[in-house]
Amino acid sequence: MQNSWLTAPSAIQAAAWPIAMKGADMVAVAKTGSGKTVGFLFPMYLRILKALEDGVPRGRGASPLGLVIAPTRELATQIEVEASKFGQALKLWSTCVYGGTPKGPQIKAVMWGVQIIVATPGRMNDFLEMLSPPVLAAGLSECKVIVLDEADRMLDMGFEPQIKTIISKLPADHQTMMFTATWPKGVVKMANDYLKPNPYQVNIGNSDQLVANKSIKQHIHQVYHHDKNAKLLELFGTLNQGDAWVIVFANKKHLIDDLVKQLWSIKWESCSIHGDKEQWQREENLSRFATGRVKVIVATDVAARGLDIKGVTHVINYDMPNTGAQGIEDWVHRTGRTGRAGKEGIAHSFFNPKDDARSAPELVDVLKDANQEIPDWLQNFADQNRRGKGRGKGKGKGKGKGKSYGKGKSSKGKGKSKGGFSGGGKGGGW
């Protein structure tokens, strides 16, 4: 722990650790870059160490004692890096399993008998079903803790059947923790199907609404499609190659590599990741970017929740995500790739009125909450769309039994949590 900012738990860690260490089921909601990974890893380590002291079976084919499920390969590998880094000091071994790459090396690692598996849902299901070889001969019979990271995204992306299968193979006394940056009402009911009755909920901020990181300076540019290339090159002309570390997001895979060529043409070394690339290419390019060998990566949303690189200075949304509330949720995650671990960041977003006008009301709401400057033209689009949709407001039916503590705003949704913990405060994140 050489970093000077690792001096105290972040807000989410301080709030989540006491609950998680009790072995209780919980949902933890906090902004991107706030330290959620260590928020669930450290309590998992303690639960595993206790199980090892009690003589839980170990060896070839043994059940893992901890399981982390993530929606994307990129996020899974990032989590496993942290799990290995901290786990080595405790002699707790982990491995990562995900699709799009040969199964052989992953099968060997799992059969060796690791304490923690970090996985994407599909590949984990594959390994649980494999009988030749029996990758997990003991199944998940001794797994004490399961964590769903970016839980909202997994439940919303259609992974629910796979998650249900995995959880059905866990022992009855297992602990379930869900960590996420956003917690829309649409996934609350689904989440409750996998949690024990009356789980704890920890909110750092307001889980009823999307919250952008206030440490990120947001710049929204009105740019029509045919002007985007010129605007992108103009922005890069203002950046210092010695200092800037940039992620560019675009929606279409075929466009990604074209943008990389354009950036190389103005002497900005760049690489890319998207769904059409082979897994080894994605891993190699992500490594090149994470280590600073190239300072620009152009990506689709596969990177929106999978990149945890503390030094990223800028995020540029060449395209806004898909319109509507879901798109703005993705926008929050994209811009959250900068301004991490207590640092400040800058985000630029190209707003094309022909494609993005419908998302203006949600975007303005998030910007206002983050104390960001809102251009007059964007406010006008938001007002026009609100008038078109009407101003009806439904009333929530809060069932939460607990109290809220700290500076944040407590949630009043339909969840049945024992208690919420809402808090402000700054902290480093891993």
Side-chain angles (χ1 to χ4, degrees):
M1 293 191 179
Q2 302 296 322
N3 305 64
S4 61
W5 49 269
L6 299 181
T7 56
S10 69
I12 187 62
Q13 293 159 7
W17 283 345
I19 298 169
M21 289 175 184
K22 289 167 51 176
D25 282 13
M26 66 179 296
V27 176
V29 187
K31 69 183 182 181
T32 58
S34 58
K36 293 189 291 296
T37 303
V38 166
F40 61 73
L41 281 178
F42 282 18
M44 178 181 283
Y45 292 150
L46 290 179
R47 189 84 184 267
I48 292 172
L49 290 172
K50 176 65 166 59
L52 292 172
E53 288 178 2
D54 293 342
V56 66
R58 299 309 311 142
R60 185 177 176 83
S63 164
L65 305 180
L67 179 61
V68 182
I69 305 295
T72 67
R73 290 168 276 187
E74 283 73 22
L75 180 55
T77 54
Q78 291 276 354
I79 294 169
E80 202 279 325
V81 167
E82 302 303 315
S84 295
K85 180 171 64 177
F86 293 109
Q88 285 178 2
L90 302 170
K91 292 184 169 55
L92 297 179
W93 313 116
S94 60
T95 193
C96 188
V97 303
Y98 49 86
T101 192
K103 292 181 180 179
Q106 295 179 6
I107 289 173
K108 183 177 179 180
V110 171
M111 291 185 69
W112 180 67
V114 293
Q115 285 81 42
I116 298 171
I117 294 177
V118 184
T120 54
R123 181 56 59 94
M124 190 65 205
N125 268 282
D126 289 346
F127 282 5
L128 287 170
E129 294 171 0
M130 285 185 69
L131 299 178
S132 180
V135 183
L136 283 163
L140 299 176
S141 58
E142 299 295 339
C143 188
K144 307 300 181 184
V145 186
I146 183 171
V147 175
L148 304 184
D149 196 23
E150 302 292 1
D152 64 320
R153 175 57 90 187
M154 277 194 291
L155 294 173
D156 198 41
M157 283 176 70
F159 288 127
E160 189 180 10
Q162 296 165 320
I163 293 169
K164 185 178 294 186
T165 300
I166 294 168
I167 290 180
S168 71
K169 299 181 183 298
L170 295 168
D173 63 346
H174 74 273
Q175 177 186 15
T176 301
M177 294 188 285
M178 298 186 179
F179 278 68
T180 182
T182 56
W183 199 234
K185 293 178 182 178
V187 302
V188 172
K189 184 180 183 303
M190 285 190 287
N192 284 333
D193 291 340
Y194 306 109
L195 297 162
K196 294 184 178 69
N198 300 321
Y200 287 89
Q201 181 163 334
V202 175
N203 299 332
I204 304 301
N206 187 348
S207 67
D208 265 359
Q209 67 185 62
L210 290 171
V211 178
N213 187 345
K214 294 180 174 64
S215 299
I216 303 169
K217 177 64 176 175
Q218 302 285 354
H219 300 274
I220 313 297
H221 308 274
Q222 184 176 184
V223 187
Y224 287 89
H225 178 73
H226 57 273
D227 294 325
K228 285 185 176 182
N229 286 355
K231 186 64 178 179
L232 181 69
L233 300 182
E234 175 190 325
L235 280 179
F236 271 92
T238 68
L239 303 180
N240 185 324
Q241 287 199 3
D243 299 326
W245 204 344
V246 189
I247 303 174
V248 180
F249 284 104
N251 294 343
K252 297 179 179 178
K253 290 179 283 190
H254 70 82
L255 179 61
I256 299 293
D257 293 323
D258 288 342
L259 294 178
V260 169
K261 291 177 183 177
Q262 290 189 50
L263 292 171
W264 273 87
S265 74
I266 58 170
K267 303 191 184 320
W268 278 89
E269 295 185 8
S270 312
C271 61
S272 65
I273 55 174
H274 54 74
D276 283 349
K277 285 191 175 294
E278 297 290 338
Q279 184 61 30
W280 70 267
Q281 294 175 305
R282 291 165 67 168
E283 292 177 0
E284 170 63 18
N285 286 347
L286 182 57
S287 174
R288 291 169 65 202
F289 180 69
T291 56
R293 283 180 282 161
V294 297
K295 301 302 284 287
V296 182
I297 193 165
V298 187
T300 56
D301 275 328
V302 297
R305 301 192 184 212
L307 292 180
D308 184 17
I309 299 167
K310 311 301 184 297
V312 173
T313 58
H314 293 75
V315 166
I316 299 174
N317 286 299
Y318 182 91
D319 297 315
M320 291 289 291
N322 294 326
T323 57
Q326 179 64 54
I328 297 306
E329 181 181 331
D330 292 338
W331 176 86
V332 169
H333 283 283
R334 286 182 179 187
T335 59
R337 298 308 99 197
T338 185
R340 302 179 73 82
K343 297 182 179 180
E344 295 182 350
I346 297 172
H348 294 271
S349 299
F350 297 174
F351 186 100
N352 179 359
K354 288 185 177 180
D355 298 331
D356 307 320
R358 286 174 50 204
S359 65
E362 291 83 4
L363 179 58
V364 165
D365 289 344
V366 174
L367 291 170
K368 283 182 178 177
D369 184 72
N371 301 321
Q372 299 293 317
E373 183 177 343
I374 300 169
D376 290 341
W377 60 264
L378 180 59
Q379 184 67 63
N380 290 338
F381 279 120
D383 293 342
Q384 291 169 15
N385 276 271
R386 288 187 207 278
R387 286 195 294 268
K389 294 176 183 177
R391 293 179 178 271
K393 293 183 180 179
K395 294 182 179 180
K397 296 180 180 179
K399 295 183 181 179
K401 297 179 182 179
K403 298 179 180 179
S404 297
Y405 305 92
K407 298 178 182 178
K409 299 176 182 178
S410 64
S411 170
K412 294 183 180 180
K414 295 183 180 180
K416 296 180 180 180
S417 58
K418 278 183 181 176
F421 185 110
S422 295
K426 297 180 179 179
W430 291 280

